[in-house]
Amino acid sequence: FFLSIYPYNTTLSIHFCTSTTTTLPQYNNMTEEKRYTREEVARHNKADDLWVIIDHVVYDLSKFGDFHPGGASVLVDVAGKDATTAFYNLHRHEVLAKYKRLRIGKIEGEEPEVIEQLPGELSLVPYAEPTWLKPEFSSPYYKESHKRLQREFRLFVDQHVKEEALQCEESGKRPSDEIVENYSRKD
């Protein structure tokens, strides 16, 4: 399944993978996150017991080494440590959302500093969005109705498509009939 929208040179693509893949480890989905001290995290510093801190959040990467595109050795280098700088030097913040199941808690007395984008919102990162979507841009061709359509579509993707797309990417299964039918409906 593939959907693309082409406003000028910007492409929004949604692709559901149908190949067979290995499922990544699944950890608890917690409503109340556990709090850890930095000393507790520091004790988990081996390849088979590997925790890291990224933006004051603790991730258990013990079973993730084989799945990490950069290899397990780079994870071992930051095991038990604050890997925020190393992570953001190589990854976008959205990667953390993809692997949120590896998140096991937060550092005691600390809160994340990176502002998470709400569903449907435009990114505040410079040049991350097409110029014509920026509030300061003025065009006789792209009116407010275009921006509303873009926001509505992005909200739909964020709320109804994104999670299932990530699951399909990991499992290799096709998207549900319900998600395909939702493309033609407006709630």
Side-chain angles (χ1 to χ4, degrees):
F1 183 79
F2 189 81
L3 169 69
S4 294
I5 294 181
Y6 298 96
Y8 255 72
N9 291 329
T10 304
T11 304
L12 170 63
S13 298
I14 302 165
H15 175 71
F16 292 95
C17 182
T18 57
S19 62
T20 304
T21 59
T22 306
T23 304
L24 292 171
Q26 185 78 27
Y27 293 98
N28 299 339
N29 290 334
M30 300 170 286
T31 53
E32 183 66 30
E33 285 191 301
K34 187 168 180 178
R35 297 293 181 147
Y36 299 95
T37 65
R38 288 181 176 270
E39 292 75 26
E40 286 176 292
V41 174
R43 289 192 293 265
H44 300 272
N45 58 7
K46 297 172 188 60
D48 61 342
D49 182 21
L50 196 157
W51 292 9
V52 297
I53 303 166
I54 301 172
D55 189 30
H56 311 285
V57 176
V58 181
Y59 294 87
D60 183 347
L61 305 182
S62 301
K63 298 178 182 175
F64 183 68
D66 291 338
F67 299 100
H68 186 254
S73 64
V74 295
L75 298 178
V76 173
D77 289 345
V78 294
K81 301 175 188 171
D82 189 323
T84 304
T85 301
F87 176 83
Y88 284 114
N89 281 341
L90 298 169
H91 305 85
R92 297 178 327 161
H93 183 69
E94 291 81 8
V95 171
L96 294 176
K98 182 176 180 179
Y99 296 106
K100 66 183 175 187
R101 69 191 163 285
L102 302 176
R103 180 177 172 151
I104 59 170
K106 292 181 183 175
I107 296 298
E108 186 71 43
E110 300 178 20
E111 291 298 323
E113 296 176 40
V114 176
I115 299 170
E116 293 203 27
Q117 189 173 330
L118 297 175
E121 281 188 343
L122 292 176
S123 174
L124 299 175
V125 175
Y127 306 106
E129 302 285 355
T131 306
W132 60 271
L133 288 175
K134 295 292 185 180
E136 59 275 2
F137 182 75
S138 176
S139 167
Y141 304 105
Y142 292 104
K143 305 285 188 201
E144 186 57 33
S145 62
H146 291 95
K147 293 178 183 182
R148 280 195 313 273
L149 174 65
Q150 187 278 337
R151 280 191 297 269
E152 286 294 319
F153 189 77
R154 181 171 295 199
L155 185 62
F156 172 78
V157 169
D158 288 348
Q159 291 178 337
H160 301 288
V161 176
K162 189 175 185 178
E163 188 67 31
E164 186 169 338
L166 292 172
Q167 291 170 359
C168 288
E169 183 178 329
E170 289 177 15
S171 69
K173 295 180 181 175
R174 296 190 50 78
S176 66
D177 291 338
E178 179 184 2
I179 199 83
V180 175
E181 289 173 15
N182 277 337
Y183 282 115
S184 61
R185 289 196 308 255
K186 170 79 173 109
D187 293 339

